[in-house]
Amino acid sequence: MGLILRARRTYGIWRWRARYWWLDTPAGRHAQLWAFALSVLATVLQLVRIAVAAVVPPPPGAPRQAVYWWVVQLIVLVVSAAISYALRPKTEKPKPAAGEAPTVEDGQAVKHHFGTVWIEDEFILAWKVTGTVPIKSKGGKK
């Protein structure tokens, strides 16, 4: 039983170290960039291979392959993605809400209630407009 717990603990430690290396270190960032570059290179090579297979006629006696339709579908995919990106709805930034201030009667006295009571007539003693100044923070200690 102790061997299983130790294996789990070791696995958790090495998983954390790999995640830390991948996400939080410059070497991990370089590894991410290399992995992305290799995946782009592999994708480009496959697209070139498909395009060559679609353009070059097969040798006589060899069966035709349906690679040409993959090229057509890829072109349709790219064109439809460009059209949908161009026609997407533009989001507008929300405007700050203008709150309507309630009316306040001048000279009305503050009523004092003691204990739990039911108040029939409500009144507003004061009103302050809030939320119009944007929050700016420098972040960190001074």
Side-chain angles (χ1 to χ4, degrees):
M1 201 64 175
L3 184 63
I4 294 173
L5 292 175
R6 184 175 176 149
R8 281 186 182 174
R9 183 172 183 264
T10 305
Y11 170 72
I13 289 171
W14 282 102
R15 187 181 64 187
W16 179 86
R17 286 180 182 169
R19 183 178 179 273
Y20 171 75
W21 174 80
W22 181 260
L23 295 176
D24 295 335
T25 62
R29 180 68 179 151
H30 291 350
Q32 290 175 8
L33 292 175
W34 275 104
F36 177 72
L38 288 176
S39 64
V40 167
L41 180 65
T43 303
V44 168
L45 288 176
Q46 288 297 325
L47 289 175
V48 168
R49 182 173 170 233
I50 289 172
V52 167
V55 173
V56 175
R64 283 199 172 262
Q65 296 178 355
V67 177
Y68 174 73
W69 294 108
W70 284 93
V71 174
V72 171
Q73 292 298 323
L74 278 172
I75 292 170
V76 168
L77 174 80
V78 170
V79 169
S80 65
I83 290 172
S84 65
Y85 181 76
L87 296 178
R88 76 185 189 287
K90 307 294 188 258
T91 57
E92 297 177 6
K93 292 184 180 178
K95 297 176 183 174
E100 295 180 12
T103 58
V104 179
E105 292 182 25
D106 289 334
Q108 186 175 6
V110 178
K111 299 175 184 174
H112 293 284
H113 301 284
F114 300 101
T116 305
V117 295
W118 186 266
I119 301 172
E120 293 289 329
D121 55 340
E122 61 183 30
F123 73 98
I124 296 175
L125 181 62
W127 177 263
K128 179 182 178 183
V129 179
T130 60
T132 57
V133 179
I135 299 172
K136 296 180 182 177
S137 70
K138 295 182 180 177
K141 297 180 181 179
K142 291 186 177 182

